[in-house]
Amino acid sequence: MRYKLDWNSLDPKGDTNSSNGTFVGNSGSIIDVTLYIYPNGETAPSHLNNISYFRIKNGAYTSTDRKDYLCSDYNYIQSKHSFLKDSDSPSTNDFMWKLTVDESGKWHLVSGQGLPLMLKDGITYESGLTYSAVNYSYSTTDLYKIYFTEAINGTKDQPVTGGDGNHPGLTTWTHSTNGNANDPSNFWFFQPVIEEGTVATGEFYTVSIVKSVESLDISNARITKTATSELAFNGGFFYCTATPTESDFTAFEIENTTATIAVDEVAKTITVTYSEAAVYITDTEIAEAQALLALAGKVGYPSLTSEAYSTFNTFVGNLSTSVTMATYTAAVNAFKTATDIALPEDGKAYKIKCQAHEWSAYVKYGEVTVGTGGSKTTLVGSTTADTYETTFICHEISAGNYLFVDNAGRYLKWVCDQDSKVYDATGETATTYNATYNVLSLARASVDANSGRISSNVKDTDFFGRIEIKGTRTDGTTKSFLNMRHKTSDRENYPFISEAGLERYYDTDDERRSHTFIFEETDYPNLVNMTTATGIDEGTKKIATFSAPFAFTLPANVDAYVVAQAPQSNTAKMTAIEYAGGAVAANTGVILYGATSETKVRMIPAASNGTSVSGNMLGNSAGGTKQIVDVAGETNYILASKGGNIVFSKALANGENKSISMNKAYLSIPTGSGVNQFALSFGEDGPTTGIGSIEASQAGSAAAPLYDLSGRRISQPVTRGIYIRGGKKFMVK
């Protein structure tokens, strides 16, 4: 817009003398004015007009405990966070910021390294920032002062993740309405790299990083200015005081690619193009890909139903030494970064190993020293994978949420209060199911440098196959990551840490912590063999015994029975305590009986404490093998097939029934008994086995005794009806 100022001149044409072409000049000069229009009636600070590149200084820079300039230096800890840093001469691009304003008036800031403004918690404000101009009129220096209604604050004591106190990050101030706009740490001074009215000593060159093949992964590609070690990602820029050439820069090396650099002096751009290198795979890579594919379906790895598995399976099936290394690497990376992973399967058992950078340990309940000479049982780590002490059986509560219980009936849990650091995972309180604290959330392990305390030298570690676990804090709602530690002062101990906050820990300093776990599937005797109930029905049902050190859920078409009273004569009467889908309490011996078509059924830990019964005459071997003969005051019987019939058969000191295997049940009579076998009766009208006193040598022979359905021995049939001989029913017409 052009104006003629003519209050002191009669010259109708005016002149364009630069020395007088101002509002304070009085020679009738013509001046050109640019008019800026801003939304919502806001006024832009005058020094920002037509300027794009700034150094940004925090308002509290005069304080002795504060840092001066806003910086974004990936070289520091390979982090993309923004932070504050002192500098007497901030001439490199990590101190420079490009400002663009979108159509809605939002401000967008990108550093010379191509990194957007990022708070210490990883927030980047991709939708832009809203500035406030309320305080521009305070003084001349306040013309440089900006604060954002998003409450961006320059901290003094909150380092960026993985950093130190000399690199305080950015956060937001707390406020009831629009924040404390008068606090200097909330102000930002925008200082043009090239001040208005001065002659520029250089030019800004924008960096563009592209690829010639879509499959190439250039997400971490960058370029370095050799003379100054400045770097820039895609979208960054360099301030060059001399015309740059391609030889002034070095492109970041990406495996199996080549990079070319081109400088366009007219467009003021520096373009880096990555192309696929003509390097081909060998039989070694083919074997490695096949081994990688074999991991699919295991916990932490791509699921067998995932698109990533299907794609990689096809790729591996067609592999040959004519495939380029770049294509191979891209396919492997796509498979290893898949988010659709396999999680633990309902009822299966796993050893859970915490994997750190320098150590690994299996999770278990163990004894730790408390005070002087005292001890308690709590969650610890073990370097050895004990047979069952480090085994946890899982139950999927809902998608991604699980309970885990060990062979002593103790649930894996995490109860921690961040403020008072209360840690409660003790074995003494772990055997009672709690729907809040025993449910843990599982997900693919993340080591995002923007979330957690991750050491810079391990950010590129391959975490393929690892899981992160969250438990519930004492408030009953907040989730916290499970982290294990093994620092020097821990000696042989591998404790879980209570002060982990809400963050992930994976560090290589003296703390040596980790939040990543590997799940190794293992065997556990909760997969029960169901035997056809011969002699009890017509072969339509199956039978087995079971017990467990944890409450368990009955599978479909299988009910649970106990012996609630002493056997009468030669018959043990079964009493149902739970039906299919119901839960049986820990350490309860039961007879499993039902019309299931399965020959094996898996007993899954229950999300409840289950049903128990007093006076149950079925003993149990929950958690370990048990000797059941030569026990004072007891005569014990195991479920066995004798003469074609399923009966309780006496355990003999010199026989095969001396011991009973883990997680089984047996009949235990508290007094001496001369009966060798007991029949099983499932209710008043239910089926009953052949009479237990039948000897195996007589079963099925014509000489075997004859019985009626009440169990009475008779010499011959007296009426029409059903009778039993040799454990088999037959009809007399």
PDB file of all heavy atoms in Angstrom, residues 107-123:
ATOM      1  N   TRP A 107       0.568 -20.633  14.752  1.00  0.00           N
ATOM      2  CA  TRP A 107       2.004 -20.590  14.526  1.00  0.00           C
ATOM      3  C   TRP A 107       2.588 -21.991  14.556  1.00  0.00           C
ATOM      4  O   TRP A 107       2.255 -22.795  15.425  1.00  0.00           O
ATOM      5  CB  TRP A 107       2.680 -19.760  15.618  1.00  0.00           C
ATOM      6  CG  TRP A 107       2.426 -18.279  15.502  1.00  0.00           C
ATOM      7  CD1 TRP A 107       1.424 -17.651  14.823  1.00  0.00           C
ATOM      8  CD2 TRP A 107       3.206 -17.260  16.112  1.00  0.00           C
ATOM      9  NE1 TRP A 107       1.515 -16.309  14.956  1.00  0.00           N
ATOM     10  CE2 TRP A 107       2.605 -16.021  15.750  1.00  0.00           C
ATOM     11  CE3 TRP A 107       4.333 -17.241  16.912  1.00  0.00           C
ATOM     12  CZ2 TRP A 107       3.103 -14.797  16.176  1.00  0.00           C
ATOM     13  CZ3 TRP A 107       4.844 -16.022  17.337  1.00  0.00           C
ATOM     14  CH2 TRP A 107       4.237 -14.814  16.970  1.00  0.00           C
ATOM     15  N   HIS A 108       3.494 -22.262  13.619  1.00  0.00           N
ATOM     16  CA  HIS A 108       4.187 -23.543  13.559  1.00  0.00           C
ATOM     17  C   HIS A 108       5.684 -23.276  13.597  1.00  0.00           C
ATOM     18  O   HIS A 108       6.206 -22.482  12.807  1.00  0.00           O
ATOM     19  CB  HIS A 108       3.816 -24.312  12.295  1.00  0.00           C
ATOM     20  CG  HIS A 108       2.354 -24.623  12.188  1.00  0.00           C
ATOM     21  ND1 HIS A 108       1.810 -25.825  12.579  1.00  0.00           N
ATOM     22  CD2 HIS A 108       1.312 -23.860  11.753  1.00  0.00           C
ATOM     23  CE1 HIS A 108       0.506 -25.801  12.381  1.00  0.00           C
ATOM     24  NE2 HIS A 108       0.175 -24.617  11.886  1.00  0.00           N
ATOM     25  N   LEU A 109       6.375 -23.948  14.515  1.00  0.00           N
ATOM     26  CA  LEU A 109       7.809 -23.743  14.695  1.00  0.00           C
ATOM     27  C   LEU A 109       8.561 -25.032  14.398  1.00  0.00           C
ATOM     28  O   LEU A 109       8.233 -26.095  14.931  1.00  0.00           O
ATOM     29  CB  LEU A 109       8.106 -23.296  16.127  1.00  0.00           C
ATOM     30  CG  LEU A 109       7.611 -21.900  16.512  1.00  0.00           C
ATOM     31  CD1 LEU A 109       7.723 -21.694  18.008  1.00  0.00           C
ATOM     32  CD2 LEU A 109       8.401 -20.831  15.770  1.00  0.00           C
ATOM     33  N   VAL A 110       9.578 -24.935  13.525  1.00  0.00           N
ATOM     34  CA  VAL A 110      10.442 -26.059  13.193  1.00  0.00           C
ATOM     35  C   VAL A 110      11.880 -25.580  13.304  1.00  0.00           C
ATOM     36  O   VAL A 110      12.234 -24.521  12.784  1.00  0.00           O
ATOM     37  CB  VAL A 110      10.169 -26.597  11.772  1.00  0.00           C
ATOM     38  CG1 VAL A 110      11.154 -27.707  11.426  1.00  0.00           C
ATOM     39  CG2 VAL A 110       8.745 -27.094  11.659  1.00  0.00           C
ATOM     40  N   SER A 111      12.702 -26.368  13.987  1.00  0.00           N
ATOM     41  CA  SER A 111      14.094 -25.976  14.165  1.00  0.00           C
ATOM     42  C   SER A 111      14.884 -26.175  12.879  1.00  0.00           C
ATOM     43  O   SER A 111      14.428 -26.842  11.943  1.00  0.00           O
ATOM     44  CB  SER A 111      14.739 -26.789  15.288  1.00  0.00           C
ATOM     45  OG  SER A 111      15.018 -28.108  14.841  1.00  0.00           O
ATOM     46  N   GLY A 112      16.096 -25.625  12.869  1.00  0.00           N
ATOM     47  CA  GLY A 112      16.958 -25.806  11.712  1.00  0.00           C
ATOM     48  C   GLY A 112      17.285 -27.260  11.462  1.00  0.00           C
ATOM     49  O   GLY A 112      17.636 -27.639  10.341  1.00  0.00           O
ATOM     50  N   GLN A 113      17.174 -28.093  12.483  1.00  0.00           N
ATOM     51  CA  GLN A 113      17.407 -29.525  12.298  1.00  0.00           C
ATOM     52  C   GLN A 113      16.171 -30.245  11.746  1.00  0.00           C
ATOM     53  O   GLN A 113      16.189 -31.459  11.570  1.00  0.00           O
ATOM     54  CB  GLN A 113      17.835 -30.150  13.623  1.00  0.00           C
ATOM     55  CG  GLN A 113      19.200 -29.672  14.090  1.00  0.00           C
ATOM     56  CD  GLN A 113      19.787 -30.539  15.184  1.00  0.00           C
ATOM     57  OE1 GLN A 113      19.140 -31.441  15.710  1.00  0.00           O
ATOM     58  NE2 GLN A 113      21.041 -30.286  15.521  1.00  0.00           N
ATOM     59  N   GLY A 114      15.098 -29.482  11.497  1.00  0.00           N
ATOM     60  CA  GLY A 114      13.886 -30.084  10.929  1.00  0.00           C
ATOM     61  C   GLY A 114      12.995 -30.719  11.973  1.00  0.00           C
ATOM     62  O   GLY A 114      12.128 -31.529  11.637  1.00  0.00           O
ATOM     63  N   LEU A 115      13.174 -30.353  13.253  1.00  0.00           N
ATOM     64  CA  LEU A 115      12.423 -30.948  14.354  1.00  0.00           C
ATOM     65  C   LEU A 115      11.399 -29.956  14.875  1.00  0.00           C
ATOM     66  O   LEU A 115      11.739 -28.805  15.178  1.00  0.00           O
ATOM     67  CB  LEU A 115      13.374 -31.366  15.476  1.00  0.00           C
ATOM     68  CG  LEU A 115      14.534 -32.273  15.061  1.00  0.00           C
ATOM     69  CD1 LEU A 115      15.445 -32.553  16.247  1.00  0.00           C
ATOM     70  CD2 LEU A 115      14.009 -33.571  14.456  1.00  0.00           C
ATOM     71  N   PRO A 116      10.140 -30.364  15.010  1.00  0.00           N
ATOM     72  CA  PRO A 116       9.120 -29.450  15.517  1.00  0.00           C
ATOM     73  C   PRO A 116       9.318 -29.191  17.008  1.00  0.00           C
ATOM     74  O   PRO A 116       9.988 -29.955  17.699  1.00  0.00           O
ATOM     75  CB  PRO A 116       7.811 -30.211  15.261  1.00  0.00           C
ATOM     76  CG  PRO A 116       8.208 -31.649  15.307  1.00  0.00           C
ATOM     77  CD  PRO A 116       9.588 -31.698  14.715  1.00  0.00           C
ATOM     78  N   LEU A 117       8.761 -28.103  17.488  1.00  0.00           N
ATOM     79  CA  LEU A 117       8.805 -27.807  18.914  1.00  0.00           C
ATOM     80  C   LEU A 117       8.206 -28.976  19.686  1.00  0.00           C
ATOM     81  O   LEU A 117       7.084 -29.401  19.423  1.00  0.00           O
ATOM     82  CB  LEU A 117       8.011 -26.534  19.198  1.00  0.00           C
ATOM     83  CG  LEU A 117       8.002 -26.051  20.648  1.00  0.00           C
ATOM     84  CD1 LEU A 117       9.364 -25.482  21.010  1.00  0.00           C
ATOM     85  CD2 LEU A 117       6.920 -24.993  20.854  1.00  0.00           C
ATOM     86  N   MET A 118       8.978 -29.517  20.639  1.00  0.00           N
ATOM     87  CA  MET A 118       8.521 -30.703  21.373  1.00  0.00           C
ATOM     88  C   MET A 118       8.747 -30.520  22.865  1.00  0.00           C
ATOM     89  O   MET A 118       9.848 -30.177  23.308  1.00  0.00           O
ATOM     90  CB  MET A 118       9.260 -31.958  20.898  1.00  0.00           C
ATOM     91  CG  MET A 118       8.826 -33.231  21.628  1.00  0.00           C
ATOM     92  SD  MET A 118       9.796 -34.680  21.147  1.00  0.00           S
ATOM     93  CE  MET A 118       9.195 -34.935  19.480  1.00  0.00           C
ATOM     94  N   LEU A 119       7.702 -30.754  23.649  1.00  0.00           N
ATOM     95  CA  LEU A 119       7.817 -30.690  25.104  1.00  0.00           C
ATOM     96  C   LEU A 119       8.528 -31.933  25.628  1.00  0.00           C
ATOM     97  O   LEU A 119       8.729 -32.906  24.911  1.00  0.00           O
ATOM     98  CB  LEU A 119       6.439 -30.573  25.745  1.00  0.00           C
ATOM     99  CG  LEU A 119       5.538 -29.423  25.292  1.00  0.00           C
ATOM    100  CD1 LEU A 119       4.338 -29.302  26.220  1.00  0.00           C
ATOM    101  CD2 LEU A 119       6.277 -28.109  25.226  1.00  0.00           C
ATOM    102  N   LYS A 120       8.883 -31.915  26.912  1.00  0.00           N
ATOM    103  CA  LYS A 120       9.602 -33.043  27.499  1.00  0.00           C
ATOM    104  C   LYS A 120       8.769 -34.315  27.527  1.00  0.00           C
ATOM    105  O   LYS A 120       9.309 -35.415  27.592  1.00  0.00           O
ATOM    106  CB  LYS A 120      10.085 -32.712  28.918  1.00  0.00           C
ATOM    107  CG  LYS A 120       8.986 -32.562  29.956  1.00  0.00           C
ATOM    108  CD  LYS A 120       9.556 -32.250  31.331  1.00  0.00           C
ATOM    109  CE  LYS A 120      10.381 -33.395  31.880  1.00  0.00           C
ATOM    110  NZ  LYS A 120       9.569 -34.588  32.218  1.00  0.00           N
ATOM    111  N   ASP A 121       7.437 -34.185  27.481  1.00  0.00           N
ATOM    112  CA  ASP A 121       6.584 -35.369  27.486  1.00  0.00           C
ATOM    113  C   ASP A 121       6.221 -35.828  26.078  1.00  0.00           C
ATOM    114  O   ASP A 121       5.405 -36.725  25.907  1.00  0.00           O
ATOM    115  CB  ASP A 121       5.314 -35.120  28.299  1.00  0.00           C
ATOM    116  CG  ASP A 121       4.476 -33.976  27.741  1.00  0.00           C
ATOM    117  OD1 ASP A 121       4.833 -33.435  26.670  1.00  0.00           O
ATOM    118  OD2 ASP A 121       3.466 -33.620  28.373  1.00  0.00           O
ATOM    119  N   GLY A 122       6.838 -35.213  25.053  1.00  0.00           N
ATOM    120  CA  GLY A 122       6.648 -35.676  23.678  1.00  0.00           C
ATOM    121  C   GLY A 122       5.598 -34.938  22.875  1.00  0.00           C
ATOM    122  O   GLY A 122       5.432 -35.210  21.694  1.00  0.00           O
ATOM    123  N   ILE A 123       4.862 -34.001  23.496  1.00  0.00           N
ATOM    124  CA  ILE A 123       3.844 -33.251  22.761  1.00  0.00           C
ATOM    125  C   ILE A 123       4.513 -32.330  21.741  1.00  0.00           C
ATOM    126  O   ILE A 123       5.498 -31.652  22.053  1.00  0.00           O
ATOM    127  CB  ILE A 123       2.979 -32.427  23.727  1.00  0.00           C
ATOM    128  CG1 ILE A 123       2.169 -33.358  24.635  1.00  0.00           C
ATOM    129  CG2 ILE A 123       2.034 -31.494  22.973  1.00  0.00           C
ATOM    130  CD1 ILE A 123       1.354 -32.644  25.691  1.00  0.00           C
TER     131      ILE A 123
END
